[in-house]
Amino acid sequence: MPVGTQGTVKTVPQDTLEALGAEIILGNTYHLYLRPGHEAIRRMGGLHKFISWPHALLTDSGGFQVFSLNELRKVTDDGVRFRSHLDGSSHFFTPEHSIDVQIALGADICMAFDECTEYPADRSRAEESLRLTMAWARRSLDHFRAHRHEVPWSDPKGCGMQCFGIVQGGMYTDLRRQCAERLVEMNFDGYAIGGLSVGEPRDLTLEMIAETLPLLPKDKPRYVMGVGYPDEIEQYARMGVDMMDCVLPTRAARHGLLFTSQGRLNIKNKQYAEDQGPPDPACDCMVCRRYSRAYLRHLMQAGEALSGTLNSIHNLAFYLGIMQRVRDSLAPATGNQEAGSLKLEARS
Amino acid sequence: MPVGTQGTVKTVPQDTLEALGAEIILGNTYHLYLRPGHEAIRRMGGLHKFISWPHALLTDSGGFQVFSLNELRKVTDDGVRFRSHLDGSSHFFTPEHSIDVQIALGADICMAFDECTEYPADRSRAEESLRLTMAWARRSLDHFRAHRHEVPWSDPKGCGMQCFGIVQGGMYTDLRRQCAERLVEMNFDGYAIGGLSVGEPRDLTLEMIAETLPLLPKDKPRYVMGVGYPDEIEQYARMGVDMMDCVLPTRAARHGLLFTSQGRLNIKNKQYAEDQGPPDPACDCMVCRRYSRAYLRHLMQAGEALSGTLNSIHNLAFYLGIMQRVRDSLAPATGNQEAGSLKLEARS
């Protein structure tokens, strides 16, 4: 899922995302809450309409961003007080408030408010953090069920909106298990594995996913948050992960890092100054069909905004292409063309 | 003609320019000479191929940019010595060198090297400046005719490439006349009116165009450089001007200024925060069809790069729409669907 932090997948127009075959994008609750504000978005009919994205949308709970504001937050059992990175104003997020904001945004999938346990965290710290996450999951889900009908459009039952729980537990497999079992009892619409890709070694990421995934119901979407590199997402998808999100393809693109079938390519390198080949000879995306490495390097060197756009389009095409190939390879075994793919119908 | 200073019409992908109906764009010789370098572009087959623009291209002579480097240049009869704004390195441009660089870039139209007379300039200064421009026009054309075959592709006669002369003369109509007559004697492929939109009042711009235009042959393209606002370009086109270029639609766009059928609109204004109408209700462009003023304002407020892209697309659509309407309105009178339009076939 391409990440659209502030209601835009950075540098890429929505029609291009459609042409790339993106079926779902993310919005960040924290950012949209601060600007333009969830009530403004609600008044305008919700995030789909506001950003003109008539396809699936997922909003995070705001938790991850808030917990990234190291110096600007204070956590209690009730919630988190934090200061805006924009103007220093004080805000208080509870599980209930996070869900309220997400309902106002009206994404197809909202996420329970959790605490993303930092890495490293010792066992007592991870246990304490998990206690918060599990209490907040309960409160998030209860509030979601009571208020899901308050979406920004006419939908008395609010049936279309889903709420996912997030498994935390640091790097302790028994805590992960405890959390997963508790969340599954609560019967969320889907389950995420959070608190990964926070600085831990990759084999630990893999171990946590491998241990946690089997505990989550196969008939509901299973989502690993915040990953990853191309080989990672393919590996996790083949393990049974249905959804992943990461800023990496677009953020790396803006810094000149292209993901290709031949590995990573830093387009700023002088060796590409007169390289008339496409960014990735094996790629059929609109950028690789039209532009050369030399041109992309020139745009980067010249500080031209088109650089970010073209690099992002290629990287997204590369990521989406990986997932498409995984789906294609799964299809014969299951006899289901949609295997491994979450299909959501967005409201209009 | 949208301006593509560094080989890109800022923030807008080439396929979008095609979808907008842009038939010709500009490249800036000064910028491309410095980065990535004209010899690199020549080795890669020319500017069309380098930037993937298989349509018409025009390059300026570099003169205007060099003359904008107030503190960094020294003019002699032979040419101009200047320092790069990028790294302070010293360079010397003569009419011959400007033409050599433009031939290496291989645009469809190259411009004679001229001195853009500043405003205000007293009569003796304007006369002296004009003397340079006329001498340099002669040298530019002679050099062009001798070397036009040295294009970056196989074209023994170099027939496709054209060279335009530039009428200067400050704000003195008799100097403009003198220059125009001299240039027409030299028999350029087309004629530009330069040295306008340099700070003079608009009625003076209009007077200079009105006085100069009739002196230039109607059967060759007549080009007014560096203009202008939407009402200006319509006015000049209706007077018989065939070509104009300006950074205004794209530069203004990046600063949040939209040109619309209802006048100028500063999309940053708070009044648009929840305005769900299209940027211009009378516009059928891909931006006005899809996005709201509220969304464009949000992108601007949030500092998102997509803001520049979408605003630029609309402004270019608005400008190109004006010219299309002028062409359409001329067509019945002349019985020629291409009236007022310069059609160029780009080499591939």
Side-chain angles (χ1 to χ4, degrees):
Chain A
M1 300 182 288
V3 178
T5 307
Q6 303 197 92
T8 157
V9 176
K10 286 186 189 296
T11 77
V12 184
Q14 274 74 317
D15 61 326
T16 305
L17 292 171
E18 289 170 345
L20 287 168
E23 296 175 353
I24 176 169
I25 63 174
L26 258 75
N28 280 121
T29 294
Y30 167 79
H31 288 281
L32 295 167
Y33 159 80
L34 289 179
R35 185 172 55 194
H38 61 294
E39 289 300 349
I41 291 177
R42 186 206 297 274
R43 282 190 295 272
M44 289 187 280
L47 190 56
H48 292 89
K49 193 171 168 200
F50 177 58
I51 71 171
S52 187
W53 181 252
H55 316 288
L57 272 174
L58 181 151
T59 44
D60 64 5
S61 67
F64 183 77
Q65 264 80 25
V66 167
F67 286 101
S68 304
L69 300 169
N70 291 306
E71 300 305 309
L72 304 170
R73 67 177 158 88
K74 183 171 184 300
V75 185
T76 63
D77 272 13
D78 196 30
V80 187
R81 180 161 297 283
F82 62 95
R83 290 193 177 279
S84 159
H85 73 290
L86 296 176
D87 63 3
S89 56
S90 180
H91 301 265
F92 191 61
F93 255 48
T94 61
E96 292 78 12
H97 187 46
S98 168
I99 295 296
D100 280 339
V101 172
Q102 293 184 72
I103 289 172
L105 298 175
D108 303 277
I109 299 170
C110 73
M111 302 300 298
F113 194 63
D114 65 330
E115 180 174 72
C116 180
T117 312
E118 68 280 4
Y119 177 83
D122 65 26
R123 181 157 183 106
S124 67
R125 163 66 195 138
E127 283 175 344
E128 172 57 21
S129 176
L130 183 58
R131 187 185 62 78
L132 263 190
T133 283
M134 290 194 298
W136 289 356
R138 179 77 262 167
R139 285 166 57 188
S140 294
L141 188 58
D142 289 347
H143 197 77
F144 172 76
R145 286 176 178 161
H147 296 273
R148 61 190 296 178
H149 60 281
E150 295 167 10
V151 287
W153 51 85
S154 174
D155 180 9
K157 295 183 187 167
C159 298
M161 202 168 183
Q162 302 192 349
C163 184
F164 285 17
I166 304 176
V167 178
Q168 294 285 351
M171 301 302 155
Y172 302 92
T173 53
D174 63 319
L175 297 185
R176 291 271 171 188
R177 169 178 294 272
Q178 182 188 332
C179 184
E181 289 173 351
R182 187 74 64 85
L183 295 182
V184 172
E185 283 167 19
M186 296 184 204
N187 196 25
F188 278 92
D189 299 308
Y191 299 91
I193 305 178
L196 296 179
S197 231
V198 290
E200 78 282 7
R202 186 165 155 187
D203 57 356
L204 211 47
T205 317
L206 182 61
E207 182 190 345
M208 292 303 122
I209 295 172
E211 292 289 330
T212 310
L213 204 58
L215 308 172
L216 302 174
K218 268 191 157 175
D219 61 346
K220 288 186 175 176
R222 300 185 294 184
Y223 163 25
V224 175
M225 306 180 82
V227 293
Y229 282 95
D231 56 331
E232 281 182 283
I233 67 166
E234 174 161 3
Q235 181 176 27
Y236 304 151
R238 292 193 184 281
M239 289 166 64
V241 173
D242 300 301
M243 304 164 67
M244 287 169 275
D245 76 283
C246 198
V247 295
L248 188 56
T250 43
R251 180 174 292 166
R254 297 195 302 281
H255 290 94
L257 185 67
L258 299 180
F259 297 103
T260 79
S261 59
Q262 304 172 328
R264 298 180 208 172
L265 183 157
N266 186 338
I267 199 66
K268 294 194 294 279
N269 285 351
K270 193 165 172 52
Q271 73 187 94
Y272 305 121
E274 297 189 26
D275 186 334
Q276 297 192 68
D280 182 354
C283 179
D284 190 41
C285 83
M286 58 191 86
V287 173
C288 288
R289 281 200 310 267
R290 179 152 200 167
Y291 304 100
S292 67
R293 292 174 173 183
Y295 183 60
L296 295 189
R297 178 180 189 269
H298 166 68
L299 292 178
M300 196 85 202
Q301 294 294 108
E304 284 286 352
L306 188 60
S307 166
T309 303
L310 299 184
N311 293 350
S312 294
I313 291 172
H314 166 74
N315 276 356
L316 287 174
F318 189 75
Y319 268 64
L320 292 165
I322 290 171
M323 299 307 288
Q324 188 57 53
R325 281 196 303 279
V326 172
R327 280 196 289 272
D328 291 346
S329 73
L330 293 176
T334 65
N336 176 1
Q337 286 295 332
E338 301 302 337
S341 162
L342 175 73
K343 284 283 179 186
L344 284 165
E345 290 306 316
R347 56 194 56 74
S348 58
Chain B
M1 300 182 287
V3 177
T5 307
Q6 304 197 92
T8 156
V9 176
K10 285 185 190 297
T11 78
V12 184
Q14 275 74 317
D15 61 327
T16 305
L17 292 170
E18 289 170 345
L20 287 168
E23 297 174 352
I24 175 170
I25 63 175
L26 256 75
N28 279 121
T29 294
Y30 166 79
H31 288 281
L32 295 167
Y33 159 80
L34 289 179
R35 186 173 54 196
H38 61 293
E39 289 300 349
I41 291 178
R42 186 206 296 272
R43 283 191 295 271
M44 290 187 279
L47 190 57
H48 293 89
K49 194 172 168 200
F50 177 58
I51 70 171
S52 187
W53 182 251
H55 316 288
L57 272 173
L58 182 151
T59 45
D60 64 5
S61 67
F64 183 76
Q65 264 80 24
V66 168
F67 287 101
S68 303
L69 301 169
N70 290 305
E71 299 305 310
L72 303 171
R73 66 177 160 86
K74 184 170 186 298
V75 185
T76 63
D77 271 12
D78 197 28
V80 187
R81 180 160 297 281
F82 62 95
R83 291 195 176 278
S84 159
H85 73 290
L86 296 177
D87 63 5
S89 56
S90 180
H91 301 264
F92 191 61
F93 254 48
T94 61
E96 291 79 11
H97 187 47
S98 168
I99 294 297
D100 280 339
V101 172
Q102 293 184 73
I103 289 172
L105 297 176
D108 303 276
I109 299 170
C110 72
M111 302 299 298
F113 194 63
D114 65 330
E115 181 174 73
C116 180
T117 312
E118 69 281 4
Y119 177 83
D122 65 25
R123 179 153 187 111
S124 67
R125 163 66 194 137
E127 283 175 344
E128 172 57 23
S129 176
L130 182 59
R131 186 186 63 79
L132 264 190
T133 284
M134 290 193 298
W136 289 356
R138 180 76 262 166
R139 286 167 56 189
S140 295
L141 188 58
D142 290 347
H143 197 77
F144 172 77
R145 287 177 178 160
H147 296 272
R148 60 189 296 177
H149 60 281
E150 297 167 8
V151 286
W153 51 85
S154 173
D155 179 10
K157 295 182 184 169
C159 298
M161 202 168 183
Q162 302 193 349
C163 184
F164 286 16
I166 303 175
V167 178
Q168 294 285 351
M171 302 302 156
Y172 302 92
T173 52
D174 61 320
L175 296 186
R176 291 272 172 188
R177 168 178 295 270
Q178 182 188 333
C179 184
E181 289 172 350
R182 187 76 63 86
L183 295 182
V184 171
E185 283 167 19
M186 296 184 204
N187 197 26
F188 279 92
D189 299 307
Y191 300 90
I193 305 177
L196 296 179
S197 231
V198 290
E200 78 281 9
R202 185 165 154 187
D203 57 356
L204 210 47
T205 317
L206 182 62
E207 183 189 345
M208 292 303 122
I209 296 172
E211 291 290 330
T212 310
L213 205 57
L215 308 172
L216 302 174
K218 267 191 158 176
D219 60 347
K220 290 187 175 175
R222 300 184 296 184
Y223 164 26
V224 176
M225 305 180 82
V227 292
Y229 283 96
D231 56 330
E232 281 182 283
I233 67 166
E234 173 159 4
Q235 181 177 25
Y236 304 151
R238 292 192 184 281
M239 289 165 65
V241 174
D242 300 301
M243 303 163 69
M244 287 169 275
D245 77 283
C246 197
V247 294
L248 188 56
T250 44
R251 180 174 292 166
R254 296 195 304 281
H255 290 93
L257 186 67
L258 300 179
F259 296 103
T260 79
S261 60
Q262 303 171 328
R264 298 179 208 174
L265 183 157
N266 186 338
I267 199 67
K268 295 194 296 279
N269 284 350
K270 191 164 174 52
Q271 72 187 95
Y272 304 121
E274 298 190 25
D275 187 335
Q276 297 193 68
D280 182 353
C283 180
D284 189 42
C285 83
M286 56 191 87
V287 173
C288 290
R289 280 200 310 267
R290 178 152 201 167
Y291 304 100
S292 67
R293 292 174 174 183
Y295 183 59
L296 295 189
R297 178 180 188 269
H298 167 67
L299 292 178
M300 196 85 203
Q301 292 294 109
E304 284 286 351
L306 189 60
S307 167
T309 303
L310 298 184
N311 293 350
S312 293
I313 292 171
H314 166 75
N315 276 357
L316 287 174
F318 189 76
Y319 267 65
L320 292 165
I322 290 170
M323 297 308 287
Q324 188 57 52
R325 281 196 303 280
V326 172
R327 280 196 288 271
D328 291 346
S329 73
L330 293 176
T334 65
N336 176 0
Q337 287 295 331
E338 301 302 336
S341 161
L342 175 72
K343 285 282 180 187
L344 285 165
E345 291 306 316
R347 56 196 53 76
S348 58

